[in-house]
Amino acid sequence: MTEKKVILVTGGTGLCGMGLQKVVEEEKMPDEKWVFLSSKDANLLDREETLAIFAKHKPTHVIHLAAMVGGLFCNIRHNLDFLRNNILMNDNVLHTSYESGVKKVVSCLSTCIFPDKTTYPIDETMIHNGPPHSSNFGYSYAKRLIDVQNHAYNSQHGCKFTCVIPTNIFGPHDNFNLENGHVLPGLIHKTYIAKIDEKDEVSIKEAAEMVTEAFDFKGEVIFDTSRSDGQMKKTANNSKLRKYLPNFKFTNMKQAVKETVDWFQANYETSRK
């Protein structure tokens, strides 16, 4: 009898985790058991709690999405926290996976880990070619270390640990916090408030226009140029994704913004903000 796969997903109630849950529910995979963890289930910064949750569910595969994340200004204020907490969390998950005999681990990285000064488009071979943008160096170096650890576990123990680098993800169940969220969810929240209060403070012109269009917002849009811009460009190469998933279809940007705006309005009271 074929062993039933048990897939443990850390960060299972975040943006990516909730999206993955939706896919799993739609696909209905009878030979697989999926376990979506939230921070309430285990503190992955704690070694003993990490060991306990792995012992409880006995995963054969792990998708590691959990991380301390935040927008530009949160990173600027807390680079040390982002560095220490993510290094600790990643080490606990990867080493416990190794000790537990997990067959494969897929971790989630981010485009912000790429060098600030680089050529475009960026791809996975360029991760370590220079320092990341100074605004989020703590998070960036912690995430880069996953790639280093993956290679080390494979070299020393033959582990099948790898990572993916999704880019500029947003949508339902995102973090819409005005101070700590990323650009698009932040703009969506600001425009929601502006539509209610007839007051608007947004930035990044094209994204702002998409959000205001999705809200059918008719008020004045004010561009605040006094705030830090962060990294100006992060054009990514998706040829590797296309190689493995040649029929993959991306959602049109305007449609994606509209769907996210509609979800946020419908779930405003319970959304993360």
Side-chain angles (χ1 to χ4, degrees), residues 188 191-192 195 210-217 261 264-265:
I188 288 171
T191 311
Y192 178 90
K195 186 176 180 182
M210 289 184 190
V211 173
T212 54
E213 180 182 334
F215 271 108
D216 192 28
F217 175 68
V261 164
F264 182 64
Q265 291 189 99

Side-chain angles (χ1 to χ4, degrees), residues 100-244:
S100 304
V102 170
K103 293 181 178 179
K104 189 168 186 178
V105 179
V106 179
S107 299
C108 190
L109 306 187
S110 165
T111 48
C112 74
I113 70 174
F114 284 96
D116 180 32
K117 309 299 181 185
T118 188
T119 56
Y120 295 96
I122 49 180
D123 64 36
E124 66 280 356
T125 67
M126 303 160 70
I127 293 175
H128 305 287
N129 288 357
H133 193 269
S134 59
S135 62
N136 59 4
F137 69 89
Y139 177 81
S140 299
Y141 278 121
K143 282 290 188 179
R144 283 188 186 186
L145 278 174
I146 295 180
D147 181 60
V148 175
Q149 284 184 278
N150 285 344
H151 285 289
Y153 276 106
N154 178 262
S155 174
Q156 190 165 328
H157 300 296
C159 298
K160 292 182 178 180
F161 292 178
T162 189
C163 44
V164 295
I165 313 174
T167 62
N168 302 321
I169 293 177
F170 66 94
H173 305 286
D174 208 337
N175 181 1
F176 294 87
N177 187 277
L178 293 177
E179 288 296 322
N180 299 331
H182 290 102
V183 173
L184 272 168
L187 286 173
I188 288 171
H189 193 174
K190 286 182 179 180
T191 311
Y192 178 90
I193 293 172
K195 186 176 180 182
I196 300 301
D197 298 339
E198 296 185 356
K199 177 183 178 183
D200 195 8
E201 295 176 305
V202 298
S203 61
I204 306 184
K205 187 174 184 292
E206 291 183 355
E209 288 173 349
M210 289 184 190
V211 173
T212 54
E213 180 182 334
F215 271 108
D216 192 28
F217 175 68
K218 304 300 183 185
E220 181 183 6
V221 178
I222 301 170
F223 295 91
D224 183 358
T225 58
S226 67
R227 307 296 291 270
S228 174
D229 290 315
Q231 193 168 358
M232 296 301 294
K233 187 177 176 69
K234 291 193 289 186
T235 306
N237 185 329
N238 65 10
S239 60
K240 195 165 188 177
L241 172 66
R242 292 294 193 186
K243 175 183 175 182
Y244 291 107

Side-chain angles (χ1 to χ4, degrees), residues 23 238 241-251:
V23 172
N238 65 10
L241 172 66
R242 292 294 193 186
K243 175 183 175 182
Y244 291 107
L245 298 172
N247 298 318
F248 183 85
K249 295 185 182 300
F250 289 94
T251 303

Side-chain angles (χ1 to χ4, degrees), residues 45 68 74-88 134-142:
L45 295 173
M68 178 183 178
C74 187
N75 272 274
I76 290 173
R77 291 192 297 267
H78 302 288
N79 265 298
L80 176 60
D81 295 335
F82 278 94
L83 178 70
R84 295 186 69 244
N85 289 339
N86 282 303
I87 286 176
L88 186 57
S134 59
S135 62
N136 59 4
F137 69 89
Y139 177 81
S140 299
Y141 278 121

